[in-house]
Amino acid sequence: MSWDRQIHIKSPDEIKIMRQAGRINAEILATMKNMIQPGVSTADLNAAAEEVLKKHGCYSPFKGYSQPPYPASICTSVNEELVHGIPSKKRILREGDIISVDCGTVFEGFVADSAMTFAVGKISAEAKRLMEITEGALVAAIDKMRVGNRTGDISAAIQNYVESRGLHVTREYTSHGVGRQMHEGPQVPLYGTAGTGMPLRPGMTIAIEPMVLVGTHETRTLRDQWTVVSADKSLTAHFEHSVAVTEGEPLILTVP
Ligand code: MF3
Ligand code: CO
């Protein structure tokens, strides 16, 4: 599966399938929420996610993705790890950590993609604020997913929400169309100008994913070639929903 830059408008029947995929993805994240506590390894989380996928006869679009092939079914990114952390038996969660779990489901040929950041036990006030602002940016962005708006309205909503609160959005990773492919057009940066970009149309489905850093917007990639960390090792958070544009309210696909 690779970037397919075309935008694919989904029919109402296709949106129904994507909604079912999204429900399963939400079940995975609910399972994660129940499991996450000090002492659990990120490999344990990956195994539990795979159990949920198997139960529904589904698989993850992450596994084998890209080059070098992504080796797991979910991404687990702890503290300064922004996205694409690889689950490992050696990574044991500790009290005070925050962990983003990003997961995907392929159901009847369609992809759901969503992520949440969770607290491990009691966390700092700074970590809590970071998580709230990142989730708030996602809510603000989803509210722009309406006919009459453009992709730049989504980008600007995220950038303004985050930067007006003194935090930073990544420049290197973006929100993206989602459908038969995990990554389709349009590519939607986390920064930009309202009123610019592609007009939104009913049947567009976009995975909106604010990735927020406390220190600066700069990132680097570890030697495993996947794990993306904040360049200054400051805390980071990530929330994501796959969302459909309709004639009316935005339809969040990745909820129970
Ligand atoms: N939500 C992530 C994304 O949209 C999932 C990709 S992880 C990968 O890019 F390992 F599959 F690349
Ligand atoms: Co995504």
Side-chain angles (χ1 to χ4, degrees):
M1 215 174 285
S2 63
W3 267 98
D4 166 0
R5 299 210 171 246
Q6 253 173 272
I7 295 172
H8 297 276
I9 299 295
K10 280 75 178 183
S11 68
D13 282 344
E14 289 174 326
I15 299 276
K16 277 190 196 140
I17 297 171
M18 290 189 69
R19 178 73 184 93
Q20 287 175 279
R23 240 185 256 285
I24 296 165
N25 227 43
E27 183 181 334
I28 298 172
L29 285 171
T31 304
M32 301 294 107
K33 187 179 166 66
N34 285 331
M35 275 183 81
I36 285 171
Q37 58 172 315
V40 169
S41 79
T42 54
D44 295 336
L45 298 177
N46 185 68
E50 289 185 346
E51 280 301 309
V52 177
L53 286 166
K54 206 169 97 186
K55 182 178 90 182
H56 291 284
C58 297
Y59 63 94
S60 167
F62 296 8
K63 205 164 194 170
Y65 183 79
S66 191
Q67 214 48 48
Y70 187 73
S73 294
I74 61 173
C75 301
T76 50
S77 308
V78 183
N79 298 337
E80 78 281 2
E81 298 168 357
L82 177 66
V83 285
H84 303 167
I86 301 173
S88 157
K89 272 189 265 189
K90 283 185 272 181
R91 187 69 195 245
I92 312 286
L93 298 180
R94 298 192 303 191
E95 179 96 18
D97 285 341
I98 59 173
I99 175 173
S100 142
V101 180
D102 189 347
C103 56
T105 295
V106 184
F107 173 81
E108 293 185 6
F110 284 90
V111 174
D113 184 8
S114 59
M116 289 178 84
T117 300
F118 301 102
V120 182
K122 196 171 157 40
I123 59 170
S124 68
E126 182 194 46
K128 191 159 182 285
R129 178 169 184 270
L130 166 66
M131 285 169 57
E132 283 167 2
I133 291 170
T134 309
E135 193 166 19
L138 175 58
V139 171
I142 291 171
D143 191 53
K144 300 294 179 188
M145 292 273 293
R146 298 167 190 277
V147 175
N149 287 341
R150 293 171 178 258
T151 53
D153 294 297
I154 300 170
S155 301
I158 293 175
Q159 180 175 27
N160 295 339
Y161 191 94
V162 170
E163 293 184 353
S164 67
R165 289 164 176 81
L167 301 179
H168 307 271
V169 288
T170 185
R171 302 293 192 265
E172 278 116 347
Y173 304 90
T174 69
S175 302
H176 54 89
V178 60
R180 288 190 182 276
Q181 306 287 324
M182 175 163 66
H183 292 149
E184 303 178 350
Q187 211 171 1
V188 185
L190 304 183
Y191 60 96
T193 308
T196 67
M198 191 87 60
L200 300 179
R201 290 168 49 196
M204 273 186 179
T205 46
I206 303 178
I208 302 187
E209 48 181 320
M211 296 163 245
V212 176
L213 306 87
V214 167
T216 79
H217 68 74
E218 281 177 74
T219 63
R220 58 185 200 84
T221 304
L222 299 186
R223 273 162 45 185
D224 64 19
Q225 297 187 63
W226 275 106
T227 310
V228 177
V229 299
S230 54
D232 64 359
K233 302 288 176 71
S234 65
L235 275 183
T236 67
H238 175 213
F239 283 82
E240 176 177 27
H241 272 308
S242 299
V243 184
V245 179
T246 75
E247 303 280 359
E249 292 295 306
L251 175 63
I252 304 177
L253 300 166
T254 42
V255 286

